[in-house]
């Protein structure tokens, strides 16, 4: 379920994606004839939902309306969009309140919709802070898809200088949640978010860089163990797509390790400690002749030598 929500390629043959693509084509190629009609319909669904008593509301209808708005974000986020000026009101009225919905799928949909319209500028900076607090709270949601979409919603927030400083104060907890997610799902989308956070907050990573490196190694070895178990199954039950997902997730973890090391160039003493943690993974890949992962492990080795400006005994061994 999560993979299909965060990776369109995993949902390539679905009716949902086909409908979304048709909707986008109508809005882009037949804009004058269709866009206002589409938006009027979406608005009627959202208005009806918000004005109805709670027991009479259809959460699936609202999910569909927000899904349509998410599909159309490319057209509607443009400053030339006929509804550009109303986007802040749309988010505050119909999207942000669903962060507290009793329906997990609506909480996830609201986070996804907010993420797609994250470039929207609000008149009051306090609104962004309030949204951040809500998203941070949803990192601990009981539903896995909600936690995943909360993690993805944080990614565009780090582009805002003021919000970035607030996120930094929660960094240890945020990174721990990200790492927990990598153990719950095999998604290179999540590892890409971790990698971006490592780059942006490089100067704050030193205190827990070794712990982060160890957890990344543990995640990598778990994924490789599952790949090994899958490939030893009978051919009748073997799922090549599942193995491919795990391999991509493993690549993402290795790339994040390399990024972590590279951003610790100013702390060679930490890099030496990191070598002790990550080099067993590099050796494992080389010993097992996992050619698909050679680029990533050579990159880790290269980053270590670059960071400490020397070839350590451990590096020389490899």
């Amino acid at each position: 379920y999560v993979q299909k929500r965060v990776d369109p390629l995993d949902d390539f043959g679905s009716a949902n994606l086909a409908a979304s693509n048709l909707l986008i084509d109508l809005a882009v190629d037949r804009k004058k004839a269709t866009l206002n009609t589409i938006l009027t319909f979406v608005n009627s669904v959202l208005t009806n939902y918000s004005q109805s008593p709670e027991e009479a509301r259809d959460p699936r209808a609202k999910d569909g309306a927000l899904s349509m708005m998410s599909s159309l974000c490319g057209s509607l986020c443009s400053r030339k969009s006929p509804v550009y000026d109303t986007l802040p009101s749309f988010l505050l009225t119909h999207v942000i309140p669903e962060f507290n919905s009793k329906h997990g799928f609506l909480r996830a949909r609201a986070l996804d919709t907010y993420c797609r319209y994250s470039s929207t500028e609000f008149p009051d900076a306090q609104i962004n802070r309030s949204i951040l607090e809500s998203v941070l709270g949803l990192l601990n949601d009981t539903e896995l898809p909600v936690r995943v979409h909360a993690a993805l919603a944080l990614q565009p927030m780090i582009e805002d200088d003021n919000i970035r400083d607030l996120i930094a104060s929660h960094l240890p907890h945020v990174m721990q949640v990200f790492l927990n997610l990598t153990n719950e799902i095999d998604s290179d989308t999540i590892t890409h978010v971790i990698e971006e956070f490592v780059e942006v907050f490089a100067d704050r990573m030193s205190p827990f860089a070794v712990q982060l490196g160890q957890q990344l190694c543990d995640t990598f070895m778990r994924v490789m163990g599952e790949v090994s178990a899958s490939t030893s199954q009978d051919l009748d039950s073997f799922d090549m797509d599942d193995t491919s997902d795990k391999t991509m997730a493993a690549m993402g973890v290795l790339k994040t390790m390399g990024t972590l090391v590279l951003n610790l160039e100013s702390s060679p003493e930490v890099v030496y400690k990191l070598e002790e943690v990550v080099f067993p993974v590099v050796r494992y890949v080389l010993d097992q002749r996992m050619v698909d992962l050679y680029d990533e492990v050579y990159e880790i080795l290269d980053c270590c030598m670059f960071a400490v400006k020397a070839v350590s005994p451990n590096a020389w061994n490899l």
Side-chain angles (χ1 to χ4, degrees):
Y1 178 85
V2 171
Q3 292 284 14
K4 288 184 176 184
R5 290 289 292 265
V6 302
D7 185 356
L9 292 178
D10 275 344
D11 207 21
F12 189 72
S14 75
N16 180 68
L17 188 63
S20 296
N21 288 338
L22 175 60
L23 182 71
I24 294 168
D25 288 343
L26 286 169
V28 173
D29 297 332
R30 297 289 184 269
K31 183 176 180 179
K32 291 182 179 179
T34 64
L35 185 58
N36 283 338
T37 303
I38 292 170
L39 292 177
T40 299
F41 171 72
V42 170
N43 186 60
S44 68
V45 173
L46 294 177
T47 301
N48 180 62
Y49 183 89
S50 62
Q51 293 179 352
S52 298
E54 187 169 348
E55 65 275 8
R57 292 175 175 177
D58 181 0
R60 293 180 63 181
K62 179 154 191 180
D63 180 71
L66 293 182
S67 177
M68 292 174 73
M69 288 297 290
S70 295
S71 297
L72 296 175
C73 66
S75 299
L76 301 183
C77 280
S78 166
R79 290 188 178 274
K80 296 180 181 179
S81 161
V83 296
Y84 180 80
D85 292 337
T86 66
L87 290 180
S89 175
F90 158 69
L91 291 173
L92 291 172
T93 304
H94 300 296
V95 179
I96 308 301
E98 296 303 336
F99 286 179
N100 298 314
S101 171
K102 65 181 181 181
H103 304 287
F105 68 90
L106 261 186
R107 297 196 298 276
R109 177 69 70 190
L111 284 163
D112 178 56
T113 305
Y114 165 74
C115 193
R116 291 171 188 259
Y117 287 92
S118 58
S119 61
T120 300
E121 297 179 2
F122 293 102
D124 183 357
Q126 183 57 40
I127 294 175
N128 285 324
R129 298 189 186 95
S130 177
I131 292 173
L132 172 63
E133 290 175 5
S134 296
V135 173
L136 288 172
L138 289 169
L139 286 174
N140 301 314
D141 196 90
T142 55
E143 299 287 350
L144 174 61
V146 178
R147 296 197 298 276
V148 170
H149 281 289
L152 298 179
L154 282 178
Q155 187 177 16
M157 289 185 177
I158 58 180
E159 297 175 7
D160 184 318
D161 292 342
N162 296 321
I163 298 299
R164 188 187 304 130
D165 290 339
L166 289 174
I167 294 176
S169 63
H170 297 274
L171 195 57
H173 171 64
V174 169
M175 296 302 294
Q176 187 59 57
V177 171
F178 286 173
L179 289 167
N180 291 343
L181 288 175
T182 65
N183 284 316
E184 292 185 83
I185 60 167
D186 300 314
S187 171
D188 59 329
T189 304
I190 294 296
T191 50
H192 177 70
V193 174
I194 296 175
E195 186 176 6
E196 192 164 330
F197 265 68
V198 168
E199 289 178 346
V200 171
F201 297 105
D203 58 331
R204 298 173 184 262
M205 286 292 167
S206 293
F208 52 95
V210 176
Q211 179 188 1
L212 177 58
Q214 182 62 63
Q215 289 178 299
L216 288 169
C217 291
D218 292 344
T219 298
F220 175 84
M221 295 307 295
R222 176 190 60 79
V223 172
M224 286 296 95
E226 291 173 2
V227 170
S228 178
S230 296
T231 53
S232 64
Q233 293 174 356
D234 294 336
L235 288 178
D236 290 341
S237 60
F238 179 61
D239 188 344
M240 180 63 77
D241 288 338
D242 187 48
T243 303
S244 176
D245 286 341
K246 293 182 187 303
T247 303
M248 291 300 295
M251 283 183 178
V253 171
L254 292 175
K255 287 179 181 176
T256 304
M257 286 185 199
T259 302
L260 177 63
V261 172
L262 193 59
N263 283 283
L264 291 167
E265 183 188 357
S266 60
S267 306
E269 69 285 353
V270 178
V271 176
Y272 279 123
K273 293 178 183 177
L274 258 180
E275 283 188 352
E276 299 283 345
V277 170
V278 304
F279 277 4
V281 163
V282 177
R283 179 172 293 282
Y284 174 82
V285 171
L286 297 175
D287 286 346
Q288 299 297 318
R289 302 189 178 221
M290 297 176 174
V291 180
D292 289 344
L293 302 178
Y294 276 9
D295 278 355
E296 285 73 27
V297 295
Y298 288 147
E299 185 74 16
I300 291 173
L301 189 55
D302 180 46
C303 289
C304 286
M305 291 188 290
F306 177 81
V308 301
K309 304 297 186 288
V311 182
S312 68
N314 286 328
W316 183 250
N317 255 333
L318 289 171

